[in-house]
C-alpha cells in the first residue's frame, strides 16, 4: 500500500513539474510566434513589464482586442514611463477594436504628439466618400477564415483555413492556409468550392492569388518552409510565386527573383494589361513595416526593379493588399498607418498625370474598427469583394457601390507659413456662405484634408491650431466641370508673427513684457503695471482665440505659505484687470507659484538683483 501511495506521489510530482510555467518557456513560445500557447503561459506568470508587453502582443496579434486592452491597460498603469512608442500605437488600435474611441484617441494623441478625433474623422468621411456601399457576408459560417478574394475568369479565388487535415499553425492554432476556387451565386454566396491542386497547395501557407486576363498566369503567396534568423528574430518569410496553366495543370511554379529568405513579399496584384505587378513588402528601403511596391513585368517574363510607391501611399506602419483599377489610375490598398477607424482600413488613391494623390479612407460601411482589407472591384458592374475580421475572424464580403452624385471636391494641406512644415493636429472646418458648418476634421500626419462641395457655391475654409493664428480662405465652386480645388492653408505661429512672443527652451510659448511690480505685501495693479498690461490686452484682442496663463512668482525672503498666498492674489488681480478691460474670463487662468520656480537658483544667498529677477509675472500662451 505504501509503495502504491509512493508511486502516486511520484507520478503527481512529475506531472506538476512537467506543467511548471516559466518565463523562459513563455518567451520561447512568443519568439516562435506561438501566440496562443504563449498567452496561456504569460497569464500564469508575474506581471513584469516584459510579460505584460508580450501577453498584450500575443492577444493583439490574434485580434483578441478585449484581452489586449485589459493587458495593455495594466502595462500602462504600472509601467507607463518606460513603455516604448510602439505599445502606444498597438494599445490605441486595441481600444478602437473594443471600441473605445475616446480612450483610443487619448493614447493615439500621445503617440502622434497631436490631438486625434476619430468620431469627427468618421463623420467627415460620411459626406466625402466617392461611393455609397451596401455589403453582405458570402458564407453562413464565420469560422472558415476566408480572405483575399480575386477574380479568376468566371470564378473567384480566395485563401481559407477550410483544409482541416493540415496541422495547426502555432501562431493561432488553426490549420495552414490553402487556396480555393469557387463560383458566386445570385445571392452572393460561395458555391462549388474546390481547393487548388497539390502543385499549388503545399504543407505551408498559400494565399492571395492574382491572375492574368486570360487565366494562364497566376501569382500567389507561399510561406517559406524554413525559418531564418534576421537580427534578433527568427521567422519564415512570405514569397511570391508564378505559375503557368498548361491546359491541364499548373506548371513551371517558380519563385520571383526579388523574393528573399530575409524579408517578405506578399499580396500580389496584377494590372489588367499584365505589365505591372503590385505587391507589399518589408524589404530593405521600406519606410517602416510593410510598404506597397510596383514592378514592371517584361514581355519575356523577366522583371524590372521593384519601386517603392513613396510616402504619399506608404507610412511607417503597414500598407498591404494592393489592387489596381483596370485603367491603372486608382490604387486600392489597406493601411493602419493612415488615419482610420481601427486596424487595417481600405483606402483609395487616384492618379493624376501619373502621380498618385493622397489616399482617401473609403468610409465606415467598407471599414470597421477591426481589420478590413483585400478590396477588389469590377468597375463596369460596380460590384466587388473585400475581407474583414470585424466579426472576430476573417470573412469575405461582397459589396455593391453607387457613386455619389456631386463630387466637387476641395482638398489640400495645412502648413507652417514660414517653414512650410506640415501641421498635423490642425482642425479644418468648411462653412458655406451663411456660416453653416458643412464639414470638420482634425488633419493627420500628412496634414491633408478633403471635403465634398457643390457647384456654383461660395465656401469658407478655416484652420485652427494651438499656438497658431487661425487662418481662413474663401473660394467659389463653378459649374464648368472643375471638380477638384486644391487650397493650401498656410498658418503663422504666434512667435513668428509677434516680436514679444517667444518659444522657450522648455517648449512653452511666452509673451515677454516688462516686469510688473507690486508694492510690498500688496497685489493691486499700479498705474505702471496697468500700462504694461494694456499691451497684453491689445494682443489678446488682436488674437481672440489665444488663451493665456497668468503666473505670479515671488522671491524666497518670506515663508513658503505666505509667498504662495501672495503670488496667488497677484495673479488673480492681474486676471481681473484684463477681464475689466474686455477680455473674456474663459480665455484666462491665474496661478501663484510663490518661490517654487526661481529663474535664479541662489537659495539663501541671493543678491538683491537675483531676488528682483525671481520676483516676476509670466504670461504663458496655453493655446
Amino acid at each position: 500500500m505504501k509503495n502504491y501511495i509512493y508511486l502516486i506521489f511520484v507520478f503527481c510530482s512529475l506531472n506538476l513539474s512537467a506543467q511548471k510555467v516559466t518565463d523562459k518557456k513563455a518567451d520561447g513560445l512568443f519568439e516562435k510566434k506561438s501566440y496562443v500557447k504563449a498567452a496561456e503561459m504569460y497569464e500564469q506568470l508575474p506581471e513584469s513589464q516584459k510579460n505584460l508587453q508580450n501577453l498584450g502582443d500575443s492577444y493583439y496579434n490574434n485580434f483578441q482586442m478585449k484581452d489586449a486592452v485589459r493587458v495593455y491597460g495594466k502595462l500602462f498603469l504600472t509601467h507607463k514611463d518606460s513603455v516604448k512608442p510602439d505599445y502606444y500605437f498597438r494599445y490605441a488600435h486595441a481600444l478602437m477594436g473594443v471600441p473605445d474611441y475616446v480612450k483610443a484617441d487619448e493614447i493615439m494623441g500621445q503617440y502622434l504628439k497631436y490631438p486625434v478625433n476619430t468620431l469627427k474623422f468618421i463623420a467627415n468621411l460620411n459626406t466625402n466618400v466617392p461611393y455609397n456601399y451596401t455589403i453582405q457576408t458570402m458564407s453562413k459560417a464565420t469560422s472558415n477564415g476566408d480572405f483575399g478574394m480575386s477574380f479568376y475568369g468566371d470564378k473567384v479565388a480566395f485563401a481559407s483555413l477550410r483544409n482541416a487535415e493540415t496541422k495547426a499553425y502555432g501562431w493561432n492554432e488553426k490549420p495552414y492556409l490553402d487556396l480555393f476556387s469557387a463560383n458566386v451565386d445570385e445571392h452572393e454566396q460561395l458555391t462549388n468550392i474546390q481547393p487548388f491542386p497539390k502543385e499549388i497547395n503545399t504543407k505551408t501557407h498559400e494565399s492571395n492569388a492574382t491572375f492574368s486576363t486570360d487565366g494562364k498566369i497566376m501569382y500567389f503567396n507561399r510561406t517559406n518552409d524554413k525559418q531564418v534568423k534576421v537580427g534578433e528574430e527568427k521567422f519564415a518569410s512570405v514569397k511570391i510565386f508564378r505559375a503557368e496553366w498548361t491546359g491541364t495543370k499548373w506548371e513551371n511554379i517558380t519563385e520571383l527573383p526579388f523574393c528573399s529568405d530575409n524579408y517578405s513579399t506578399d499580396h500580389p496584384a496584377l494590372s489588367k494589361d499584365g505589365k505591372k505587378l503590385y505587391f507589399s513588402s518589408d524589404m530593405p528601403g521600406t519606410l517602416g513595416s510593410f510598404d506597397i511596391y510596383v514592378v514592371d513585368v517584361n514581355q519575356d517574363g523577366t522583371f524590372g526593379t521593384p519601386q517603392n510607391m513613396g510616402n504619399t501611399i506608404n507610412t511607417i506602419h503597414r500598407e498591404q493588399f494592393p489592387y489596381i483599377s483596370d485603367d491603372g489610375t486608382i490604387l486600392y490598398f489597406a493601411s493602419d498607418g493612415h488615419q482610420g477607424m481601427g486596424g487595417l482600413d481600405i483606402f483609395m488613391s487616384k492618379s493624376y498625370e501619373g502621380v498618385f494623390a493622397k489616399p482617401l479612407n473609403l468610409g465606415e460601411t467598407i471599414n470597421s474598427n477591426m481589420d478590413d482589407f483585400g478590396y477588389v472591384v469590377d468597375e463596369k458592374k460596380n460590384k466587388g469583394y473585400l475581407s474583414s475580421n470585424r466579426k472576430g475572424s476573417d470573412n469575405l464580403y461582397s459589396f455593391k457601390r453607387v457613386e455619389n452624385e456631386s463630387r466637387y471636391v476641395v482638398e489640400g494641406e495645412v502648413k507652417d507659413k514660414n517653414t512650410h512644415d506640415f501641421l498635423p493636429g490642425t482642425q479644418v472646418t468648411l462653412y458655406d456662405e451663411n456660416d453653416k458648418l458643412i464639414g470638420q476634421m482634425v488633419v493627420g500626419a500628412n496634414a491633408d484634408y478633403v471635403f465634398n462641395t457643390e457647384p456654383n457655391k461660395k465656401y469658407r475654409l478655416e484652420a485652427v491650431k494651438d499656438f497658431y493664428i487661425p487662418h481662413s480662405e474663401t473660394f467659389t465652386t463653378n459649374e464648368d466641370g472643375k471638380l477638384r480645388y486644391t487650397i493650401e492653408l498656410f498658418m503663422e505661429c504666434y512667435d513668428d508673427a509677434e516680436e514679444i512672443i517667444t518659444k522657450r527652451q522648455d517648449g512653452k510659448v511666452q509673451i515677454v513684457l516688462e516686469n510688473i511690480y507690486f508694492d510690498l505685501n500688496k497685489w493691486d495693479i499700479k498705474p505702471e503695471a496697468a500700462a504694461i498690461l494694456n499691451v497684453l490686452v491689445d494682443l489678446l484682442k488682436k488674437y481672440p482665440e489665444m488663451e493665456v496663463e497668468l503666473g505670479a512668482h515671488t522671491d524666497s525672503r518670506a515663508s513658503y505659505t505666505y509667498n504662495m498666498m501672495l503670488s496667488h492674489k497677484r495673479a488673480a488681480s492681474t486676471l481681473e484687470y484684463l477681464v475689466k478691460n474686455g477680455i473674456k474670463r474663459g480665455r484666462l487662468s491665474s496661478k501663484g507659484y510663490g518661490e517654487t520656480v526661481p529663474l535664479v537658483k541662489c537659495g539663501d544667498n541671493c543678491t538683491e538683483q537675483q531676488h528682483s529677477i525671481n520676483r516676476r509675472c509670466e504670461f504663458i500662451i496655453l493655446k
Side-chain angles (χ1 to χ4, degrees):
M1 182 68 178
K2 288 181 178 179
N3 289 338
Y4 180 72
I5 294 172
Y6 175 76
L7 288 171
I8 293 175
F9 174 78
V10 171
F11 176 79
C12 291
S13 298
L14 289 172
N15 193 43
L16 288 171
S17 176
Q19 294 177 356
K20 186 177 180 181
V21 175
T22 65
D23 280 43
K24 185 176 181 180
K25 288 180 181 178
D27 292 346
L29 289 167
F30 184 81
E31 289 170 7
K32 291 193 298 183
K33 297 181 170 54
S34 295
Y35 294 126
V36 173
K37 291 179 179 177
E40 292 173 358
M41 285 199 174
Y42 283 125
E43 287 284 12
Q44 302 174 59
L45 291 170
E47 294 179 344
S48 66
Q49 180 172 347
K50 182 263 295 178
N51 288 348
L52 286 172
Q53 287 175 171
N54 290 355
L55 177 57
D57 287 351
S58 295
Y59 286 130
Y60 181 85
N61 289 329
N62 275 319
F63 314 109
Q64 296 172 266
M65 295 310 187
K66 186 176 181 180
D67 283 317
V69 165
R70 169 177 59 84
V71 176
Y72 286 146
K74 289 182 181 179
L75 173 66
F76 275 69
L77 184 65
T78 54
H79 302 285
K80 185 175 182 180
D81 292 341
S82 56
V83 170
K84 293 181 179 179
D86 284 353
Y87 291 96
Y88 282 80
F89 180 81
R90 290 196 283 273
Y91 186 23
H93 274 275
L95 285 161
M96 286 190 275
V98 174
D100 182 351
Y101 283 124
V102 174
K103 182 68 174 176
D105 287 348
E106 175 191 336
I107 299 298
M108 187 63 81
Q110 293 174 30
Y111 170 75
L112 295 171
K113 304 293 191 291
Y114 59 79
V116 177
N117 192 323
T118 303
L119 293 178
K120 274 188 179 179
F121 170 75
I122 293 172
N124 183 62
L125 285 176
N126 288 339
T127 62
N128 290 324
V129 291
Y131 295 94
N132 294 319
Y133 291 89
T134 56
I135 70 171
Q136 70 174 72
T137 56
M138 300 187 70
S139 175
K140 294 179 180 179
T142 59
S143 60
N144 289 327
D146 300 338
F147 75 93
M149 186 82 89
S150 59
F151 297 110
Y152 177 31
D154 58 357
K155 297 182 179 181
V156 293
F158 62 97
S160 179
L161 303 171
R162 291 169 183 261
N163 188 357
E165 296 179 1
T166 61
K167 65 179 182 179
Y169 177 43
W171 183 301
N172 53 19
E173 293 300 306
K174 293 180 179 179
Y176 278 73
L177 292 165
D178 279 342
L179 282 168
F180 292 79
S181 65
N183 295 107
V184 179
D185 67 17
E186 67 274 16
H187 303 295
E188 299 298 321
Q189 298 297 295
L190 296 172
T191 63
N192 191 28
I193 298 169
Q194 300 292 329
F196 273 74
K198 63 181 180 179
E199 290 81 13
I200 300 298
N201 288 331
T202 64
K203 293 181 179 180
T204 184
H205 293 294
E206 280 80 27
S207 63
N208 295 99
T210 183
F211 301 86
S212 60
T213 304
D214 61 11
K216 293 181 178 180
I217 303 295
M218 170 171 61
Y219 297 92
F220 65 98
N221 280 153
R222 178 177 288 166
T223 304
N224 212 356
D225 57 3
K226 64 177 180 179
Q227 290 190 336
V228 298
K229 190 168 186 179
V230 179
E232 296 299 317
E233 185 181 6
K234 288 186 70 174
F235 73 101
S237 66
V238 181
K239 299 178 178 180
I240 301 174
F241 284 76
R242 179 182 185 273
E244 298 177 0
W245 179 250
T246 61
T248 55
K249 64 178 182 177
W250 292 103
E251 293 186 312
N252 301 323
I253 300 170
T254 56
E255 175 187 326
L256 297 197
F258 47 82
C259 297
S260 171
D261 290 344
N262 296 322
Y263 55 80
S264 290
T265 48
D266 52 26
H267 312 149
L270 189 64
S271 62
K272 187 176 180 64
D273 61 11
K275 294 181 179 181
K276 292 184 181 295
L277 185 70
Y278 296 79
F279 63 95
S280 176
S281 179
D282 60 352
M283 65 174 58
T286 59
L287 302 184
S289 176
F290 277 80
D291 284 357
I292 305 296
Y293 285 79
V294 61
V295 64
D296 289 331
V297 182
N298 301 320
Q299 282 189 340
D300 61 1
T302 60
F303 297 86
T305 302
Q307 301 295 317
N308 188 299
M309 295 198 69
N311 60 10
T312 299
I313 300 297
N314 296 315
T315 70
I316 63 170
H317 296 291
R318 285 190 298 159
E319 278 72 46
Q320 296 179 300
F321 298 95
Y323 179 78
I324 193 72
S325 62
D326 287 352
D327 63 3
T329 64
I330 302 177
L331 177 71
Y332 300 93
F333 65 97
S335 170
D336 63 5
H338 295 283
Q339 187 172 9
M341 303 169 199
L344 292 169
D345 273 14
I346 299 169
F347 294 80
M348 65 172 286
S349 173
K350 190 169 177 60
S351 172
Y352 295 91
E353 298 180 356
V355 178
F356 282 96
K358 292 186 179 297
L360 175 67
N361 188 299
L362 292 189
E364 65 177 338
T365 304
I366 287 293
N367 293 314
S368 69
N369 59 319
M370 294 289 281
D371 280 344
D372 307 283
F373 55 98
Y375 180 104
V376 299
V377 61
D378 182 330
E379 293 168 314
K380 293 180 180 178
K381 298 179 180 178
N382 272 324
K383 295 171 58 177
Y385 310 103
L386 64 95
S387 309
S388 177
N389 65 2
R390 65 186 67 185
K391 292 187 176 181
S393 61
D394 290 337
N395 284 281
L396 290 167
Y397 294 78
S398 66
F399 65 78
K400 296 179 181 179
R401 68 183 193 182
V402 178
E403 190 169 0
N404 286 340
E405 292 182 3
S406 62
R407 281 294 293 160
Y408 285 68
V409 173
V410 59
E411 62 181 4
E413 301 163 340
V414 190
K415 297 179 180 179
D416 185 288
K417 180 179 179 180
N418 295 291
T419 67
H420 286 203
D421 290 340
F422 289 145
L423 296 179
T426 303
Q427 179 174 281
V428 181
T429 308
L430 179 69
Y431 299 94
D432 68 10
E433 57 188 339
N434 298 313
D435 271 346
K436 178 183 176 182
L437 189 149
I438 303 300
Q440 187 177 73
M441 66 181 296
V442 177
V443 300
N446 293 323
D448 54 313
Y449 68 88
V450 59
F451 295 105
N452 271 351
T453 59
E454 296 178 11
N456 203 29
K457 283 195 174 184
K458 188 175 181 179
Y459 293 92
R460 178 171 64 89
L461 279 167
E462 183 180 71
V464 176
K465 181 175 174 61
D466 290 352
F467 310 112
Y468 277 79
I469 302 167
H471 179 75
S472 292
E473 294 275 358
T474 60
F475 66 98
T476 302
T477 58
N478 57 32
E479 51 186 0
D480 63 1
K482 184 176 180 181
L483 300 182
R484 291 169 60 84
Y485 294 80
T486 301
I487 299 177
E488 290 192 343
L489 301 175
F490 290 99
M491 303 182 71
E492 189 168 26
C493 57
Y494 291 133
D495 51 305
D496 282 338
E498 300 290 341
E499 289 186 2
I500 62 172
I501 299 177
T502 184
K503 193 168 187 177
R504 306 192 320 193
Q505 288 186 344
D506 62 4
K508 293 182 178 180
V509 180
Q510 181 176 347
I511 303 168
V512 181
L513 301 175
E514 292 182 53
N515 208 349
I516 296 175
Y517 292 101
F518 297 86
D519 287 337
L520 184 65
N521 299 333
K522 298 294 180 75
W523 49 86
D524 53 307
I525 303 297
K526 297 167 63 177
E528 298 90 341
I532 295 169
L533 288 177
N534 286 339
V535 176
L536 181 58
V537 170
D538 291 341
L539 187 72
L540 289 169
K541 288 181 177 178
K542 183 178 181 180
Y543 302 117
E545 301 295 327
M546 184 185 288
E547 297 182 9
V548 175
E549 178 194 270
L550 315 169
H553 301 260
T554 68
D555 58 37
S556 58
R557 287 185 288 194
S559 71
Y560 171 86
T561 302
Y562 177 81
N563 284 335
M564 289 298 290
M565 179 274 296
L566 182 62
S567 63
H568 174 73
K569 288 185 176 180
R570 286 176 172 175
S573 177
T574 304
L575 185 149
E576 293 302 326
Y577 180 86
L578 298 177
V579 171
K580 287 178 182 178
N581 282 272
I583 306 303
K584 292 182 179 179
R585 189 179 299 274
R587 298 173 59 195
L588 307 170
S589 64
S590 64
K591 186 172 182 178
Y593 289 90
E595 62 190 71
T596 61
V597 192
L599 286 179
V600 182
K601 297 180 180 179
C602 47
D604 297 328
N605 302 310
C606 296
T607 65
E608 184 59 41
Q609 182 182 11
Q610 289 171 328
H611 277 308
S612 67
I613 292 172
N614 287 334
R615 192 172 57 247
R616 67 199 189 277
C617 276
E618 289 183 341
F619 309 102
I620 304 298
I621 298 176
L622 300 178
K623 61 181 291 188

